[in-house]
Amino acid sequence: MTHVFPTYARFPFELVDGKGVTLTDNNGKQYLDFTSGIGVCNLGYQNPAVTSAVEAQVKKVWHISNLYENHLQEDVAKLLVKDEDKLVFFANSGTEANEAALKLARKATGKTKVLSFNHSFHGRTYGAMSMTGNPHIQEGFFPMVPDISFADYNDNASLDKITTDLAGVILEVIQGEGGVINGDPDWLKAVQAKCQEVGALLIIDEVQTGNGRTGYQFAYQGFDLDPDIVTTAKGLANGLPVGAMIGKASLGDAFGPGTHGSTFAGNPLTMASAKATLEQLTPDFLKGVQDKAATVWTQLANFTDLAAVNSISGKGLMIGIHLTGDVAVNDVITTLQTKGLLTLSAVGNTLRLLPPLVMSAGDLKQGLTTIYETLSDLK
Ligand SMILES: *Cc1c(COP(=O)(O)O)cnc(C)c1O
């Protein structure tokens, strides 16, 4: 590719077709997908209900602007909030959902300061990048948005930084891009308690962990938390670009007409896709993800015996295999590609796995066996 900014280090093949959990490249080679397009196509490729919902909407209107009523937005919002007293703002991506959260937190509290955590990832636009605890992401782009500071994740000393002058505290309950780092359940509860004590809004970024990835609609539900604001995106519409910020209804007055907006956001096409996606995330489906994940984690327990593996982290079908320093994760990824398996990396020499949630237990087992054998061959 010569006409596109080289912002991505791309592998030298193109995925041109997909069905279920299998992708086909431009040479006709087939792959079992342990990436879901980075946690997006959680229901696999050509998911029948999503495809037919989008096909039906393509033949009506794709875009109408936010000047008019939009029943599909209302339907998706209801599927997101269930019976909770919450409101939804639609965006087009994860970073935009986090921009909305930052703006809402400042406007609703009248305060400016936000606390984020080291190793976090919240996106690439200025607000979200400024809240991202990874110096490499910010490098060359200073100055950042002011009044954002960082503390150590899972560290009780960080609780002292949650003070009355904060608009909000933003975190992922499992840090994704930063290396699949599990939040400590007690620490997360302590952060929430401190936020409530000082009047700071707790913002949970579920862009990656949401929409069933950990076996819950939102991962925070598995930690029994009660955030003021939740953001999500990636898996929300199984591949069409959509993000959402969900906030407690008491914050609604701060986001009145004209305060925030987006031309494309919530258009009927992406909403049809999001609706058909969320309708499949039933309690039975989520239970099925948890059951498959239990088998996966039993198999993963053997991986720590491998010389190439330091540790394993994650939850549900969000998995990080932390490799030792002398094994390059990118070499592992390319070797797995030759064996017909697509995988991801994350910060810290982490082999990251985000298989579609619809993958069968048999395919999950087969993919993990391929990874195990590949890692065993290394030493
Ligand atoms: C991917 C990701 C984002 C950014 O989402 P985009 O859609 O790429 O803007 C934000 N937060 C988390 C936790 C993510 O994993």
Side-chain angles (χ1 to χ4, degrees):
M1 291 166 69
T2 56
H3 289 70
V4 173
F5 272 105
T7 49
Y8 307 101
R10 298 175 193 266
F11 294 108
F13 58 91
E14 180 167 353
L15 297 161
V16 293
D17 204 358
K19 178 105 208 223
V21 298
T22 307
L23 286 159
T24 306
D25 77 8
N26 52 322
N27 299 309
K29 183 176 169 66
Q30 293 207 319
Y31 303 86
L32 183 64
D33 179 32
F34 268 43
T35 72
S36 307
I38 320 187
V40 170
C41 302
N42 290 350
L43 302 178
Y45 304 91
Q46 293 182 44
N47 177 268
V50 175
T51 301
S52 64
V54 172
E55 271 172 358
Q57 193 59 44
V58 158
K59 293 177 186 140
K60 297 181 190 169
V61 281
W62 306 4
H63 176 85
I64 49 172
S65 86
N66 282 306
L67 296 172
Y68 311 99
E69 294 275 306
N70 183 330
H71 78 276
L72 285 168
Q73 285 186 14
E74 183 70 8
D75 291 349
V76 175
K78 268 194 224 155
L79 287 161
L80 284 169
V81 307
K82 299 274 161 52
D83 52 6
E84 290 186 284
D85 195 17
K86 292 184 172 179
L87 298 168
V88 179
F89 174 85
F90 288 107
N92 306 287
S93 63
T95 199
E96 278 182 53
N98 286 329
E99 294 295 325
L102 174 61
K103 287 180 74 171
L104 179 62
R106 284 183 165 179
K107 191 132 199 295
T109 62
K111 299 172 187 175
T112 58
K113 293 185 179 169
V114 170
L115 183 71
S116 181
F117 294 95
N118 295 319
H119 303 294
S120 61
F121 182 79
H122 299 298
R124 302 281 191 161
T125 52
Y126 259 95
M129 173 175 63
S130 300
M131 298 191 292
T132 288
N134 177 346
H136 177 68
I137 302 266
Q138 299 181 343
E139 199 182 310
F141 299 119
F142 285 89
M144 294 293 128
V145 172
D147 285 359
I148 294 164
S149 57
F150 293 89
D152 286 333
Y153 193 69
N154 282 340
D155 182 358
N156 282 330
S158 301
L159 299 173
D160 296 337
K161 297 193 177 169
I162 302 173
T163 46
T164 52
D165 56 349
L166 289 183
V169 173
I170 185 166
L171 56 80
E172 300 151 89
V173 294
I174 302 168
Q175 293 185 323
E177 304 298 314
V180 192
I181 303 167
N182 289 49
D184 174 80
D186 293 333
W187 181 78
L188 290 168
K189 284 253 179 183
V191 168
Q192 173 171 293
K194 194 73 194 284
C195 284
Q196 287 168 353
E197 187 191 316
V198 303
L201 298 173
L202 177 61
I203 305 163
I204 297 189
D205 179 342
E206 295 261 5
V207 171
Q208 187 161 156
T209 50
N211 307 302
R213 178 52 54 190
T214 71
Y216 297 85
Q217 180 166 15
F218 294 111
Y220 76 77
Q221 293 161 338
F223 292 85
D224 196 25
L225 297 168
D226 178 27
D228 301 291
I229 297 174
V230 178
T231 57
T232 192
K234 289 191 167 82
L236 180 51
N238 210 51
L240 289 190
V242 58
M245 179 200 64
I246 304 152
K248 287 189 173 167
S250 56
L251 302 169
D253 288 344
F255 251 21
T259 51
H260 192 41
S262 160
T263 299
F264 289 128
N267 78 51
L269 199 59
T270 60
M271 289 295 109
S273 187
K275 183 179 177 186
T277 301
L278 291 176
E279 280 173 347
Q280 293 179 67
L281 296 189
T282 60
D284 275 355
F285 179 90
L286 295 171
K287 173 76 171 51
V289 172
Q290 291 182 6
D291 290 347
K292 280 187 287 194
T295 316
V296 160
W297 283 90
T298 305
Q299 192 177 351
L300 282 168
N302 304 320
F303 279 54
T304 45
D305 300 341
L306 293 168
V309 175
N310 272 336
S311 61
I312 313 272
S313 62
K315 186 171 182 176
L317 292 180
M318 178 172 179
I319 299 155
I321 302 174
H322 305 275
L323 305 177
T324 51
D326 48 342
V327 176
V329 65
N330 270 314
D331 294 346
V332 175
I333 289 172
T334 45
T335 304
L336 289 169
Q337 285 169 357
T338 64
K339 297 183 181 183
L341 185 68
L342 298 178
T343 55
L344 300 160
S345 64
V347 169
N349 213 27
T350 305
L351 182 67
R352 181 168 47 141
L353 311 177
L354 299 172
L357 307 179
V358 293
M359 191 175 281
S360 69
D363 283 342
L364 286 164
K365 184 172 183 196
Q366 189 210 309
L368 286 178
T369 302
T370 304
I371 295 169
Y372 186 90
E373 287 167 0
T374 303
L375 293 174
S376 325
D377 288 348
L378 285 171
K379 292 247 175 157

